[in-house]
Amino acid sequence: MTSSTALRFFSAQDADPHALDGERVVVIGFGNLGRAIAHNLRDAGVAQLVIGNIADEYAQQARAEQFEVLPIAEAAAGADVAFILIPDEVIPEVFEADIAPNLKAGSAILFASGYNLAYELIHPPKGVDVLLLAPRMGGELARERFLNKQGYVAYVSVEQDASGKALKRLLGMAYAVGVLYAGALELDAKREADLDLLVEQTVGAALGVAIMSTYDLGVEAGIPPEAMVLEMYMDGEMETVFRTFRERGFYRASYTHGPTAMYGGYVRTMQLMQSDLAAKFRETLEEIQSGGFAQQFQAERSAGYPALTMAEQMASGDNPFVQPVFEAEARVRSALKIS
Ligand code: NAI
């Protein structure tokens, strides 16, 4: 394992502002991140910019926003640098059919997630640069933070350097899309993918369980649903907790709570650490690292996304189980005039 002293952070000074001069840059996909990246590249002055997209509503939107749009195979064939911004589980078939066979020798492909490289769902050809530029933000913030020059953090790595200028291209792209106003940390695709999945499937899942089961317990104990959602996230206190983690540090943030909260939080955390939660997290990590989770997600796609459809129903409120929470949130939002 690389020691932390070997980690490289990159900032705007590390990028050559002319790195993309004369390069034809293709953005494949015009969705959440693709649209923001395309606009950022255009505003950064990338002259030869093309969108590669299937004929769908995203392609129509790109044309409406004055981008040149080509079918993916044709766009890939003309690319010096191609940023692949379509959903992770769709990439393997599109990459194999339309992208890989058309790439020019010496061109570069970039991925916004290490997922397909890490779990060997794709096998890029030898003669191209393979680069990772994985922002930690969705498209809306990537665009907003480009415009106000705040930037947004990303992990970057050169996975394969065929042209001899892979790092220069990578940092040129990181600069042009706005990442380097904030900074980038070098992390290879396997560790980026493991990290990304690990945190969303442990911290994210545990937070989800904590909120859902605490809501049920509180309501069962006679606490109004409105008070439950207010206390857990709608009063904004949780946002300040995470901000304090960032500004003061995770452990030191405890000092910002009163002694009752600090004592209660400490003893309950120690109790939970004795439970099988940590063992479950380890199992999760093993499934991620082995590629088992990626295989499971490809099977979910082949089966027509049954679990994802249920998750989307919950997220949209189209499920009786979550209706009371949606209603309580709406009442709190209206009473507190949260838009
Ligand atoms: P998205 O779901 O918004 O992608 C939509 C785009 O994919 C559209 O252009 C659509 O035409 C195209 N597409 C969909 N199905 C297709 C198919 N069968 N064949 C060809 N094209 C198809 O994707 P999103 O969320 O922007 O993700 C793109 C990449 O960025 C992924 O690698 C993801 O991991 C990464 N990423 C996404 C972030 C996010 O918050 N959305 C944040 C950081 C990285």
Side-chain angles (χ1 to χ4, degrees):
M1 198 162 134
T2 315
S3 77
S4 58
T5 50
L7 285 180
R8 283 198 287 180
F9 283 91
F10 296 107
S11 64
Q13 288 87 333
D14 296 310
D16 175 350
H18 301 292
L20 302 175
D21 286 1
E23 303 260 64
R24 186 174 168 91
V25 179
V26 169
V27 175
I28 297 179
F30 198 76
N32 183 312
L33 199 54
R35 177 170 178 240
I37 294 289
H39 277 278
N40 292 358
L41 288 169
R42 179 159 73 185
D43 290 353
V46 171
Q48 299 185 63
L49 183 61
V50 171
I51 309 298
N53 216 93
I54 52 173
D56 64 2
E57 67 277 16
Y58 294 96
Q60 282 171 14
Q61 187 179 15
R63 283 199 184 92
E65 293 173 9
Q66 324 305 325
F67 287 96
E68 181 186 353
V69 182
L70 295 175
I72 293 176
E74 200 178 321
D80 295 306
V81 176
F83 203 168
I84 301 174
L85 292 165
I86 58 181
D88 287 325
E89 76 283 12
V90 170
I91 287 177
E93 66 199 41
V94 176
F95 187 76
E96 198 179 320
D98 296 322
I99 301 175
N102 293 306
L103 293 171
K104 289 192 291 198
S107 63
I109 44 172
L110 281 92
F111 295 90
S113 137
Y115 189 89
N116 283 289
L117 297 168
Y119 308 118
E120 298 182 5
L121 301 174
I122 58 170
H123 300 279
K126 286 272 173 285
V128 302
D129 297 343
V130 181
L131 309 171
L132 177 72
L133 172 50
R136 308 332 279 167
M137 305 271 155
E140 208 174 305
L141 280 173
R143 180 68 181 146
E144 188 183 307
R145 286 166 172 239
F146 171 89
L147 289 172
N148 67 21
K149 296 198 169 5
Q150 202 181 350
Y152 45 102
V153 172
Y155 295 116
V156 293
S157 85
V158 172
E159 299 286 315
Q160 180 169 292
D161 184 358
S163 69
K165 54 180 180 181
L167 182 63
K168 184 177 166 188
R169 276 172 160 164
L170 175 62
L171 296 181
M173 283 292 284
Y175 180 71
V177 301
V179 159
L180 292 185
Y181 294 131
L185 173 64
E186 188 173 35
L187 194 68
D188 61 83
K190 177 69 164 86
R191 288 190 295 172
E192 186 276 336
D194 286 347
L195 169 67
D196 185 45
L197 296 177
L198 179 65
V199 173
E200 62 200 23
Q201 294 178 27
T202 55
V203 180
L207 201 58
V209 170
I211 288 177
M212 287 159 73
S213 52
T214 303
Y215 174 89
D216 286 344
L217 276 176
V219 170
E220 211 178 285
I223 301 171
E226 291 81 352
M228 289 305 302
V229 296
L230 193 62
E231 181 74 12
M232 290 194 292
Y233 47 86
M234 294 199 75
D235 61 5
E237 192 195 0
M238 281 298 175
E239 284 154 58
T240 68
V241 170
F242 274 80
R243 194 174 66 225
T244 314
F245 289 170
R246 176 156 58 90
E247 291 172 354
R248 293 203 189 185
F250 175 70
Y251 289 103
R252 274 200 291 261
S254 299
Y255 287 119
T256 60
H257 307 305
T260 322
M262 195 168 175
Y263 169 77
Y266 174 74
V267 296
R268 299 300 180 193
T269 302
M270 290 304 120
Q271 283 170 1
L272 274 181
M273 301 243 317
Q274 305 303 314
S275 73
D276 65 354
L277 193 65
K280 283 261 171 290
F281 285 179
R282 182 168 292 281
E283 267 174 41
T284 300
L285 175 61
E286 283 162 4
E287 280 175 28
I288 291 169
Q289 284 184 315
S290 68
F293 171 78
Q295 294 301 337
Q296 186 184 320
F297 191 42
Q298 290 307 123
E300 166 78 6
R301 172 167 160 75
S302 305
Y305 294 112
L308 194 60
T309 305
M310 280 169 69
E312 280 167 359
Q313 272 173 4
M314 285 178 82
S316 69
D318 186 17
N319 177 313
F321 177 69
V322 301
Q323 268 303 318
V325 179
F326 267 68
E327 286 161 17
E329 287 170 347
R331 285 193 290 274
V332 171
R333 217 174 277 125
S334 143
L336 298 185
K337 302 190 174 47
I338 302 171
S339 56

